[in-house]
Amino acid sequence: MEDEVQTGADNIVTEFNTYEDFLDSQITSVDLFYLEDEELARQLVELGYRGSGEVLRREEFEARKAAAEASRLNKRSQQQTLSSSGKDFTNNAFLRALAQREEANRNGKMTSIIFIRDKNSRGQEISGYIDYAHRLKTEEFEPYFSFKKRLLPRPSDLSFYNWETQTSTSNHTPNYQVIAENASGLLFKNKRDRKILNVDPKAATPGDNSTRNVIDSTQYVQVVIYDHITRRKT
């Protein structure tokens, strides 16, 4: 019985935009004829003296309305459309690889590191390691998946090097800690499971729960994607 009452109240806050709209729905033309005052009729409905439906106090209506809106926004956030959704990457191996990894990097099941070597807009050769999951959270990727922009490493990424100016930078991200001073070369430590990812191409393996994937791309000089699984799929 209690569940039925709660369901009825939830239906009310979904059906009516305001509490006044709900009260008005309970007022009949006969009520208005005899009372001759719409506000008085609303007060009588709120007190339970008029109306054929359930009595719902203003405070409860507004609380349930707020809860329903919060639930709607949460569902909308969870069902966010992927930036790569509905696009054709048949002739672009790199964007196809990014699209295949987008959802897993957004929901935290995977944290991929993208190595890119190519030339910037000034014709200078640059290379660097990009925290894909972090970039997805801090940048709009639709222009990349729509072929309007080219993804390139930046000085703010995990690692960046300009071969002409010899400018070198490294930065920690929410997902990885950079370990630059190491005999094995550049390493990245995952902050969630504390596993080490070794990007040395001569290494037998990039590390536990990690894979190295060379992407045959005609748009870049060199692309390698390191995938690290951070959580088991359920």
Side-chain angles (χ1 to χ4, degrees):
M1 182 63 178
E2 185 178 343
D3 291 340
E4 292 179 0
V5 172
Q6 182 174 344
T7 301
D10 289 340
N11 290 338
I12 288 172
V13 299
T14 302
E15 182 178 354
F16 301 104
N17 290 325
T18 66
Y19 186 63
E20 285 70 24
D21 290 342
F22 162 64
L23 295 178
D24 290 345
S25 72
Q26 302 293 304
I27 301 172
T28 67
S29 57
V30 176
D31 293 331
L32 290 176
F33 177 78
Y34 285 106
L35 295 172
E36 297 182 344
D37 188 330
E38 185 179 40
E39 190 59 37
L40 176 59
R42 286 176 175 174
Q43 291 176 10
L44 292 174
V45 171
E46 187 170 0
L47 292 171
Y49 295 118
R50 284 289 185 275
S52 56
E54 179 185 353
V55 177
L56 189 66
R57 304 292 295 180
R58 180 183 296 273
E59 295 79 7
E60 185 178 0
F61 177 91
E62 292 178 350
R64 288 182 178 274
K65 194 73 174 176
E69 177 64 11
S71 177
R72 184 187 69 82
L73 293 175
N74 185 50
K75 289 180 180 178
R76 181 181 177 184
S77 177
Q78 291 177 351
Q79 297 172 355
Q80 178 185 24
T81 303
L82 298 175
S83 299
S84 58
S85 179
K87 298 178 176 61
D88 182 13
F89 305 117
T90 303
N91 298 318
N92 194 309
F94 176 56
L95 290 182
R96 186 166 64 250
L98 294 188
Q100 292 168 347
R101 294 162 170 80
E102 182 184 3
E103 183 174 11
N105 273 270
R106 285 192 184 278
N107 63 31
K109 292 181 179 179
M110 176 186 291
T111 49
S112 300
I113 292 179
I114 307 166
F115 172 77
I116 293 177
R117 182 163 66 92
D118 205 63
K119 292 186 177 182
N120 61 17
S121 59
R122 298 179 179 179
Q124 300 169 333
E125 184 173 336
I126 59 174
S127 62
Y129 292 88
I130 300 170
D131 180 343
Y132 185 32
H134 181 53
R135 276 276 203 117
L136 283 170
K137 286 186 177 181
T138 58
E139 187 178 1
E140 174 57 58
F141 258 68
E142 201 279 335
Y144 293 118
F145 286 121
S146 296
F147 307 96
K148 296 176 182 177
K149 291 175 64 177
R150 293 177 71 242
L151 182 65
L152 287 172
R154 299 170 177 169
S156 57
D157 282 314
L158 279 170
S159 178
F160 173 86
Y161 187 67
N162 185 311
W163 292 83
E164 183 171 316
T165 63
Q166 295 187 359
T167 301
S168 177
T169 62
S170 62
N171 306 277
H172 303 314
T173 69
N175 301 309
Y176 285 100
Q177 175 185 344
V178 181
I179 304 176
E181 303 299 328
N182 189 279
S184 301
L186 188 62
L187 302 175
F188 299 104
K189 184 177 183 179
N190 188 276
K191 291 184 177 180
R192 176 175 294 182
D193 60 17
R194 306 181 68 82
K195 300 289 187 181
I196 298 295
L197 197 154
N198 187 346
V199 295
D200 184 353
K202 297 180 181 179
T205 172
D208 293 341
N209 304 327
S210 299
T211 57
R212 182 178 186 271
N213 309 276
V214 177
I215 308 300
D216 186 13
S217 172
T218 58
Q219 287 78 32
Y220 296 89
V221 173
Q222 184 181 6
V223 175
V224 181
I225 299 180
Y226 298 85
D227 294 324
H228 183 70
I229 305 299
T230 53
R231 187 172 65 200
R232 292 181 180 273
K233 294 183 179 181
T234 55

